[in-house]
């Protein structure tokens, strides 16, 4: 009889725009995933499985997302200094690969998405990754690009998108964004943000645009006081969570590479895997942000320093994913230089994690 008076839970998930302006969103027990979407269920350990769309039914501790595979079209600026010129990308989310235990896009959802993955936010993330690769010389897109150079760029971009995000680029063409971009406003916004960052007490802690924060163009004045503390703590937790979830997957991708012949390459490759394994262990035992010791709170300056080190480690993680994409396409003669790059990335990762663990930095007095 009590069942007659019980109220059924209505679906509260807003799936409007899914497949158009929205790529994925989180669902709760009882929500209904649209028939054209794919449902991904994550257990408490972060392992995922894809199931058919429909009414969500999950066990305690499980997290559920649904996504639309696309296709999607976005315009990105490869060079921040030339915002009037861009690339129009058309991409889709890959179908499940039976040869892997976890799909790359599923890991991206679980590790970096907070509730909703908007197309505009994903486009901003792709744009930053592309600009970083071009600035570092990992990808090349010179003026008056030849057909051979364009094909090389496309191959690198395709591999980056697949390795970093788990999506496949169907088409990529240059596009004139002059009618959509106000360069003067962009320069004014950058100058204002630089001035505000210089005045912020947490200036060393860069507030990166992520999938659930504002992009640089839309960001307002930096928060202060308790809001700044909460934001710094959120950044630290998000960075450590990403490292915890992604370092094992990154190591697995490196382990599956086909190595060139030669003992030196093999030894360097094994050394990189060992260092990544030790970094993962370091993340798993990382102390709390707010405490220097079990009975000793850490000062705000100490917490800000710890957050800055977490962000350094997270930046090294992003570079490592990009390096994996390059290694997957590398010729044998390119491996030595790429492994040198891996050594640099591992050093940055280890340094960031090591300094994140330390509560107080010893002051080095100059010798007379």
């Amino acid at each position: 009889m009590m069942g007659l008076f019980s109220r059924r839970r209505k679906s509260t998930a807003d799936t409007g725009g899914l497949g158009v302006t929205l790529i994925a969103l989180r669902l709760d027990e009882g929500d209904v995933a649209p028939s054209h979407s794919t449902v991904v269920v994550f257990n408490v350990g972060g392992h995922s499985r894809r199931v058919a769309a429909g009414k969500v039914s999950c066990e305690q501790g499980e997290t559920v997302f649904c996504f639309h595979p696309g296709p999607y079209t976005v315009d990105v600026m490869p060079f921040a200094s030339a915002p009037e010129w861009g690339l129009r990308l058309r991409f889709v989310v890959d179908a499940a690969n039976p040869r892997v235990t976890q799909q790359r896009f599923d890991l991206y959802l679980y590790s970096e998405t907070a509730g909703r993955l908007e197309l505009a936010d994903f486009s901003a993330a792709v744009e930053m990754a592309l600009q970083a690769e071009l600035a570092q010389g990992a990808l090349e897109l010179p003026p008056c690009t030849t057909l051979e150079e364009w094909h090389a760029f496309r191959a690198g971009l395709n591999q980056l998108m697949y390795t970093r995000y788990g999506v496949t680029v169907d088409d990529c063409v240059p596009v004139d964004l002059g009618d959509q971009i106000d360069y003067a406003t962009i320069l004014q916004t950058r100058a204002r943000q630089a001035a505000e960052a210089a005045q912020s007490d947490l200036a060393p802690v860069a507030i990166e645009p992520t999938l659930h924060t504002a992009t640089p163009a839309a960001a307002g004045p930096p928060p202060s006081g308790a809001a700044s503390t909460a934001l710094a703590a959120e950044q630290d937790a998000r960075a450590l969570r990403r490292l915890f979830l992604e370092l094992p997957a990154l190591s697995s991708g490196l382990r599956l590479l086909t190595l060139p012949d030669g003992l030196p390459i093999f030894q360097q490759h094994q050394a990189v895997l060992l260092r990544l394994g030790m970094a993962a262990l370091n993340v798993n035992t990382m102390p709390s942000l707010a405490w220097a010791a079990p009975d000793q709170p850490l000062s705000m300056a100490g917490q800000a320093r710890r957050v800055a080190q977490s962000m350094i480690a997270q930046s090294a993680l992003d570079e490592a994913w990009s390096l994996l994409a390059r290694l997957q396409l590398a010729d044998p003669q390119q491996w030595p230089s790429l492994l040198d790059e891996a050594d640099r990335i591992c050093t940055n990762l280890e340094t960031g994690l090591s300094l994140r663990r330390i509560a107080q930095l010893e002051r080095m007095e100059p010798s007379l």
Side-chain angles (χ1 to χ4, degrees), residues 68-208:
H68 191 289
Y72 301 94
T73 301
V74 297
D75 293 340
V76 297
M77 295 182 296
F79 302 102
S81 59
E84 71 283 353
W85 183 81
L87 296 173
R88 180 160 294 164
L89 305 181
R90 183 176 182 270
F91 66 89
V92 296
V93 179
D94 290 322
N97 183 354
R99 295 177 296 177
V100 299
T101 57
Q102 185 175 44
Q103 310 304 315
R104 181 63 183 96
F105 182 76
D106 297 354
L107 175 61
Y108 179 72
L109 279 182
Y110 190 66
S111 177
E112 300 185 58
T113 304
R116 296 173 67 88
L117 177 56
E118 302 283 352
L119 180 61
D121 294 331
F122 183 78
S123 175
V126 169
E127 184 176 272
M128 287 192 297
L130 176 58
Q131 290 181 0
E133 290 295 281
L134 289 168
Q136 296 174 3
L139 290 176
E140 294 184 358
L141 189 58
C144 303
T145 308
T146 65
L147 185 61
E148 182 179 354
E149 291 171 335
W150 176 255
H151 287 326
F153 168 76
R154 275 296 310 272
L157 175 64
N158 294 351
Q159 194 65 37
L160 173 67
M161 293 287 287
Y162 181 82
T163 304
R164 178 68 179 86
Y165 302 108
V167 302
T168 297
V169 177
D170 285 343
D171 195 18
C172 174
V173 294
V175 60
D176 185 358
L177 302 177
D179 296 337
Q180 309 173 33
I181 298 297
D182 187 344
Y183 197 15
T185 301
I186 292 177
L187 293 177
Q188 291 174 355
T189 302
R190 291 175 181 172
R192 184 183 71 252
Q193 291 178 345
E196 291 170 349
Q199 297 174 1
S200 173
D201 293 336
L202 291 179
V205 185
I207 302 176
E208 63 161 345

Side-chain angles (χ1 to χ4, degrees), residues 9-12 27-33 54-58:
R9 180 188 179 278
K10 295 182 179 180
S11 176
T12 59
L27 300 178
D28 295 323
E29 177 74 24
D31 286 336
V32 178
K55 187 175 181 180
V56 173
S57 177
C58 56

Side-chain angles (χ1 to χ4, degrees), residues 14 27 47 69 77 93 201 209 257 268 270 315 339 366:
D14 180 12
L27 300 178
H47 301 288
M77 295 182 296
V93 179
D201 293 336
L257 294 172
Q268 287 181 277
Q270 292 299 303
S315 297
L339 287 176

